[in-house]
Amino acid sequence: MLELKGVSKRYAGGELALNNVSFNVAAGEVVALIGPSGAGKSTLIRCINQLVQPTDGQVLLNDSRLELLKGRQLRMARRQIGMIFQNYALVERLSVMENVLSGRLAYVGFWQSLLRRYPAADIKYATQLLDRVGLSEMLDKRSDALSGGQKQRVGIARALMQRPALLLVDEPTASLDPKSSRQIMRLLCELCREQNLAAIINIHDVALAQQFVSRVIGLQQGAVVFDGKPEALSEQV
Ligand code: ADP
Ligand code: ADP
């Protein structure tokens, strides 16, 4: 599904932010990416979605080399990548439903979305997703009226709306209390299994990650220093 081969990144004037990173993630596999601040986690996520161009190496998504794509081809390829953010990145004044539908913006087109003409099939799928994440009572609520946990559920439904193959998840629980954090991690892992999605979750709470994921990748100074089952991580540390 996702394959990184010898990916390195050197920012202008800086030292290596990523140093020869290689790993594969299979469909249905959820990976927690851990490591101290400055280890290169964000850079790695950005090299995968091509917000940052790697200095060296290859990023393959379903056998297509993302680092070689440009313009329209890159936008098409990116549609396979769903993003979920720490701060949810919702449009606060829009309803829950509209936020989820906006996951399809790239397909529906900006003007149709302004006119709020969404295809019936999209509305149906959005309704199903919102039901699945436990928000079926909240479709018409403005998203700024939601709790943090509910906002993140909207963020998850929006990402799934584009029917991605891969989810990139940046600190999904950093703004949540412990109970909501566990619920969100459980939901994310269940959905990936149900939909056969690969996911990389950038997370600093190692104990939380260990509770839910089957694989942990540890980064330190830009290099992979651990790749294995969470149990093995506890033995090593
Ligand atoms: P993490 O997400 O694990 O905290 P980052 O990927 O943000 O790590 O950072 C990795 C290294 O790259 C750090 O040394 C950081 O200072 C550097 N870095 C990150 N972004 C930039 C940038 N835009 N320009 C220059 N250096 C950067
Ligand atoms: P268009 O120009 O056709 O509107 P975009 O480039 O805005 O398309 O978005 C195309 C796809 O790229 C979207 O499905 C979205 O998931 C993805 N995408 C857009 N911005 C980002 C981003 N900052 N990080 C990751 N993926 C993104």
Side-chain angles (χ1 to χ4, degrees), residues 70-83:
K70 289 197 167 57
R72 183 180 145 74
Q73 278 186 317
L74 178 58
R75 288 201 297 276
M76 297 295 285
R78 271 185 177 155
R79 288 178 188 178
Q80 299 174 70
I81 305 178
M83 297 289 300

Side-chain angles (χ1 to χ4, degrees), residues 11-12 15 17 35-44 46 202:
Y11 290 105
E15 77 269 47
S37 177
K41 303 181 296 297
S42 316
T43 302
L44 182 58
R46 290 189 190 137
N202 180 350

Side-chain angles (χ1 to χ4, degrees), residues 105-123:
L105 249 185
Y107 305 79
V108 176
F110 181 67
W111 293 107
Q112 278 113 304
S113 80
L114 266 193
L115 298 170
R116 313 211 170 164
R117 282 198 211 125
Y118 292 97
D122 284 358
I123 292 174

